[in-house]
Amino acid sequence: MSALHLTVTTPLAVVLDEGDVASIRAEDESGGFGLMPGHADLLTVLRPSVLHWRRADGGWHHVALRGGVMRVAGDAVRVACREAVAGDDLDRLEALVVEQAAAQEDAARRARGEQLRLHTAAIRNLMRRLGPGGGPEPEFDEIGEAFR
């Protein structure tokens, strides 16, 4: 019996490139479905979910996806998604996904704070130049008068 070749990629990395895959369980808008070697070609949009796959030796493995597109062509199964985290233990995988989500939220919060700080500094600098006794550039003085 032939085997599937599963590849999961994100814009920055190849998260999974596994041959000798006996079966795959995934989820799209119509619900859960399974793939085995010899499956008809398929193109579908995956929901944010956990894709499960089993090697020919019988061990189950998992990859958490933040949605994505799955293409089945012959025995090649390719998944392209924004984010993916692979693991063998579902509990540890869940903890890792929660940890990564918290780290991303923290980074986004810091980026928003830095953006606000830079925006405020730019406004203050502009107001100093446009205010009374501002910078020597006449075009800035003319713009300042237009706003008064």
Side-chain angles (χ1 to χ4, degrees):
M1 179 166 113
S2 66
L4 297 169
H5 186 100
L6 176 61
T7 307
V8 177
T9 59
T10 66
L12 300 176
V14 175
V15 175
L16 183 67
D17 188 11
E18 186 73 35
D20 200 29
V21 174
S23 65
I24 299 171
R25 294 282 306 155
E27 190 174 326
D28 65 7
E29 287 300 318
S30 65
F33 62 93
L35 300 170
M36 295 181 74
H39 194 282
D41 290 354
L42 166 72
L43 179 66
T44 189
V45 176
L46 300 175
R47 298 169 64 171
S49 60
V50 177
L51 182 138
H52 310 275
W53 54 278
R54 183 174 54 89
R55 288 189 181 124
D57 65 12
W60 281 98
H61 307 277
H62 319 281
V63 60
L65 305 171
R66 186 178 171 197
V69 176
M70 175 186 274
R71 179 174 179 235
V72 179
D75 287 335
V77 179
R78 294 183 179 92
V79 176
C81 57
R82 286 184 154 286
E83 294 179 79
V85 180
D88 294 333
D89 180 7
L90 278 176
D91 292 331
R92 287 181 35 198
L93 182 62
E94 179 184 12
L96 184 58
V97 168
V98 168
E99 179 183 312
Q100 285 185 355
Q104 288 173 351
E105 179 60 32
D106 186 50
R109 186 175 19 261
R110 281 184 277 132
R112 285 190 303 269
E114 181 64 12
Q115 180 184 16
L116 180 61
R117 186 190 69 74
L118 290 172
H119 182 78
T120 303
I123 297 274
R124 285 182 181 148
N125 190 24
L126 185 61
M127 293 305 292
R128 265 193 303 263
R129 290 184 178 267
L130 297 177
E137 297 87 10
E139 64 271 8
F140 284 122
D141 291 336
E142 291 169 13
I143 292 172
E145 289 300 317
F147 282 104
R148 289 191 183 135

